[in-house]
């Protein structure tokens, strides 16, 4: 049985191949524009697993009290 569509409720999963430079295929980028919810989940998963492509630093500005 080859790849096909399976709903998430029935255990469906998506695997996305990303190059070593962090690039995804052009068709994938186009599909993400049509499905912003999936794009957000992908971004959150990428942030949780860690990557050299992300930087998180505290904001150097402070509020004047």
């Amino acid at each position: 049985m080859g790849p096909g569509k399976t709903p998430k409720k029935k255990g469906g999963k998506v695997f996305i191949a990303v190059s070593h430079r962090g690039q995804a295929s052009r068709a994938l980028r186009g599909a993400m524009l049509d499905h912003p919810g999936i794009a957000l989940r992908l971004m959150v998963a990428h942030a949780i697993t860690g990557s050299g492509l992300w930087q998180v630093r505290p904001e150097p500005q402070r509020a004047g009290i």
Side-chain angles (χ1 to χ4, degrees):
M1 186 174 210
K5 293 184 178 185
T6 303
K8 186 177 175 184
K9 291 179 181 178
K10 292 187 177 184
K13 296 182 177 160
V14 175
F15 296 92
I16 300 171
V18 179
S19 75
H20 68 283
R21 295 177 61 194
Q23 297 172 324
S25 69
R26 187 173 295 158
L28 174 65
R29 290 187 302 233
M32 291 294 168
L33 292 173
D34 294 334
H35 304 327
I38 293 174
L40 178 63
R41 282 186 275 177
L42 178 62
M43 189 266 322
V44 170
H46 195 244
I48 289 171
T49 59
S51 170
L53 302 175
W54 290 81
Q55 291 184 4
V56 179
R57 295 183 304 232
E59 175 62 41
Q61 297 180 4
R62 294 175 31 154
I65 297 177

